[in-house]
Amino acid sequence: DTGVMSGALIFIKEELEISDTQQEVLAGILNICALVGSLIAGRTADYIGRRYTITVASILFMVGSILMGYGPNYTILMAGRCVAGIGVGFALLIAPVYSAEISSAKSRGFLTSLPELCIGIGILLGYVINYFLGKLSLKLGWRLMLGIAAIPSLALALGILVMPESPRWLVMQGHLEKAKNVLLQISNTEQEAELRFQDIKLAAGIDMNDSKEMVKVPEKKNSGGVWKELIIRPTYAVRWMLIAAVGIHFFEHATGIEAVMLYSPRIFKKAGVTSKDKLLLTTIGVGITKVSFLIIASFFLDRVGRRRLLLISTGGMICSLLVLGFSLTMVDTSDKELLWALTLSIVATYFFVAFFNIGLGPVTWVYSSEIFPLKLRAQGASIGVAVNRLTNAAISMSFISIYKAITIGGAFFVFAGSSVLAWLFFYFFLPETKGRALEEMEMIFSKYDRRNVTTGTDPTENV
């Protein structure tokens, strides 16, 4: 949807004759609705399970795509974006949580980064589809761009039904036998499955020797519910988990990636690319860069580690944004065409996308889906996703207005400043989680202090 909308906006503006403000609202409303969806999805995932929550997301995607593909006017188009947005909120929460909960500690970074990689592939497909469907009639082209998403939505709804349920969710419901059977499917050996099973039972507060098919999961004493444990009276460890999750989700979009992904045709047009075909082709390059570096990142997450990738990624983003801001400022202030500035703008955009997707993009979803305790995971992750969507909406709905107020180069200098703050936050506040079992996270964060993080020592070495 993000990939398709970036090109479809060119044609929607032409046919429906909508203003820049209406374009911003159309682009950003999906994220406002995704915020609502993510908050509902946490409770839904705890109630009906991870797998069926993905089915709900797929149905919402499908309905939203059909409405947008029909799109006779701006109102129906907005309605379709809203429905699809709620689906986005569901999917962004549940896909990483589901992936994290079925993965072993050794491969969790790789497997949990796959949803982000597949989003990248979807964006690239959107850019490619824009290029070919953009050659159709004005009335038909953009409607097909938006409506065709119903096909993968249906495939996801059906495909997820043959996948196993999260063993950790099954244990939380007391279905021990079912959980053990799933673990035997997704573990390399029976010994590994048994070890994971015992760790999950311990985290859920179930007697390690209990071998019944069904048990009643004990409630924690003085527990006032998930939200109370997360926000009102969190433990020291949970408070830092929440700060880490909210911070990483905020900075993922405060550094400007949505401005580049959604408005890249407009950025390239400002830089000097004029024809629609060339704009869409240049945008395809953004998609190829994104997917290529997401693939690289998926192999590095479990080797290099989350924290180191974040710092490398954010450092590269700062440099790229400064160069992009400089080159766009030169184009903006010059009376003649500057080929070197145009080339530098395109190269800097590609570098920014590359650095983002080798670290901050995938790590955000891996990190926030793995750090919370089992009981708090879905709803803790939902708070992070809500912040993510709110920040995304703020950027996508205000970018045009911001660059008109302070110039397009100035807007990217602001994003560079935000990236500096992001780097400092990651350096001082995020401990490494590579190779740790989900059941160990509370111990890591309860022993957290800035000295452990900044010196790179093991935060659990003195347990």
Side-chain angles (χ1 to χ4, degrees):
D1 187 85
T2 299
V4 161
M5 186 54 74
S6 69
L9 278 173
I10 300 170
F11 304 100
I12 292 169
K13 182 181 181 182
E14 190 176 334
E15 186 189 339
L16 301 184
E17 297 179 347
I18 58 177
S19 65
D20 281 347
T21 302
Q22 286 176 307
Q23 282 185 78
E24 286 180 322
V25 172
L26 183 63
I29 197 68
L30 179 133
N31 294 301
I32 295 291
C33 295
L35 185 157
V36 177
S38 66
L39 292 173
I40 299 169
R43 187 173 289 274
T44 305
D46 283 340
Y47 185 67
I48 67 172
R50 299 357 183 177
R51 192 174 54 149
Y52 288 122
T53 303
I54 295 175
T55 304
V56 173
S58 307
I59 293 167
L60 289 166
F61 280 142
M62 190 161 55
V63 173
S65 300
I66 291 168
L67 282 173
M68 287 189 288
Y70 170 56
N73 53 50
Y74 185 73
T75 306
I76 301 294
L77 198 56
M78 284 285 287
R81 288 284 280 174
C82 286
V83 174
I86 295 171
V88 167
F90 269 74
L92 288 177
L93 165 78
I94 200 59
V97 168
Y98 177 75
S99 299
E101 290 190 347
I102 64 169
S103 308
S104 66
K106 191 175 179 182
S107 59
R108 191 175 61 245
F110 172 75
L111 292 174
T112 311
S113 70
L114 290 181
E116 182 68 12
L117 172 60
C118 293
I119 288 170
I121 293 170
I123 289 172
L124 174 58
L125 284 173
Y127 289 156
V128 173
I129 285 167
N130 283 349
Y131 178 72
F132 289 105
L133 295 185
K135 299 178 187 299
L136 299 177
S137 67
L138 181 61
K139 223 175 226 330
L140 182 64
W142 67 264
R143 288 183 172 87
L144 276 177
M145 291 176 192
L146 296 170
I148 205 168
I151 297 170
S153 302
L154 179 62
L156 177 60
L158 297 174
I160 195 64
L161 296 178
V162 301
M163 297 298 290
E165 182 52 87
S166 159
R168 288 175 168 89
W169 181 80
L170 289 170
V171 169
M172 284 300 295
Q173 304 308 304
H175 298 289
L176 298 189
E177 188 66 26
K178 289 181 181 178
K180 191 166 185 179
N181 289 337
V182 171
L183 284 165
L184 287 169
Q185 285 181 279
I186 61 175
S187 301
N188 291 319
T189 63
E190 280 191 39
Q191 187 180 7
E192 182 192 332
E194 183 61 34
L195 188 62
R196 289 172 70 180
F197 185 52
Q198 294 302 333
D199 284 345
I200 296 168
K201 281 204 296 184
L202 181 64
I206 297 171
D207 186 346
M208 300 282 279
N209 299 314
D210 201 328
S211 57
K212 297 175 190 172
E213 286 189 19
M214 278 281 296
V215 298
K216 182 174 174 60
V217 179
E219 288 289 328
K220 287 187 180 179
K221 290 180 181 179
N222 303 319
S223 172
V226 171
W227 292 112
K228 184 177 178 181
E229 290 183 46
L230 265 174
I231 297 171
I232 300 172
R233 289 182 183 171
T235 63
Y236 181 82
V238 170
R239 183 184 298 116
W240 279 112
M241 289 171 182
L242 193 59
I243 290 170
V246 167
I248 197 170
H249 274 290
F250 171 77
F251 282 117
E252 184 190 21
H253 287 291
T255 49
I257 189 62
E258 193 66 12
V260 170
M261 299 309 297
L262 197 54
Y263 295 110
S264 50
R266 193 179 277 258
I267 294 166
F268 294 138
K269 190 173 183 179
K270 275 281 184 182
V273 181
T274 50
S275 78
K276 284 182 184 176
D277 267 7
K278 286 180 180 176
L279 280 174
L280 295 175
L281 273 174
T282 315
T283 305
I284 288 172
V286 172
I288 292 171
T289 305
K290 180 179 178 68
V291 171
S292 302
F293 281 85
L294 277 171
I295 291 170
I296 295 169
S298 66
F299 290 103
F300 280 176
L301 278 161
D302 290 315
R303 296 180 186 179
V304 177
R306 287 54 152 159
R307 183 177 137 77
R308 189 178 296 175
L309 273 182
L310 274 176
L311 296 176
I312 294 168
S313 166
T314 314
M317 287 163 60
I318 293 166
C319 298
S320 304
L321 286 166
L322 288 171
V323 172
L324 182 56
F326 168 74
S327 56
L328 287 172
T329 300
M330 295 305 295
V331 170
D332 222 19
T333 54
S334 176
D335 296 329
K336 56 184 180 179
E337 187 177 323
L338 299 176
L339 185 60
W340 66 267
L342 165 61
T343 306
L344 195 58
S345 297
I346 294 171
V347 170
T349 301
Y350 287 173
F351 267 96
F352 172 68
V353 172
F355 276 113
F356 175 86
N357 286 290
I358 204 169
L360 183 53
V363 172
T364 296
W365 301 98
V366 173
Y367 201 86
S368 61
S369 64
E370 69 184 0
I371 58 176
F372 289 102
L374 178 57
K375 183 182 176 183
L376 309 180
R377 186 168 298 130
Q379 299 210 44
S382 77
I383 294 173
V385 175
V387 170
N388 185 288
R389 294 298 93 189
L390 185 62
T391 314
N392 189 316
I395 298 298
S396 57
M397 295 176 80
S398 63
F399 178 67
I400 297 174
S401 303
I402 289 171
Y403 87 63
K404 283 184 175 179
I406 63 172
T407 75
I408 193 162
F412 284 103
F413 284 131
V414 170
F415 290 141
S418 181
S419 298
V420 172
L421 294 177
W423 193 94
L424 292 170
F425 177 83
F426 302 150
Y427 184 80
F428 286 108
F429 293 100
L430 268 62
E432 182 58 76
T433 57
K434 179 189 76 166
R436 298 305 186 103
L438 294 180
E439 288 68 38
E440 288 183 78
M441 296 300 170
E442 203 160 359
M443 180 174 63
I444 292 172
F445 277 85
S446 64
K447 292 295 174 183
Y448 163 86
D449 64 46
R450 280 184 291 181
R451 182 180 51 198
N452 284 333
V453 177
T454 56
T455 59
T457 58
D458 181 354
T460 62
E461 65 186 0
N462 57 353
V463 172

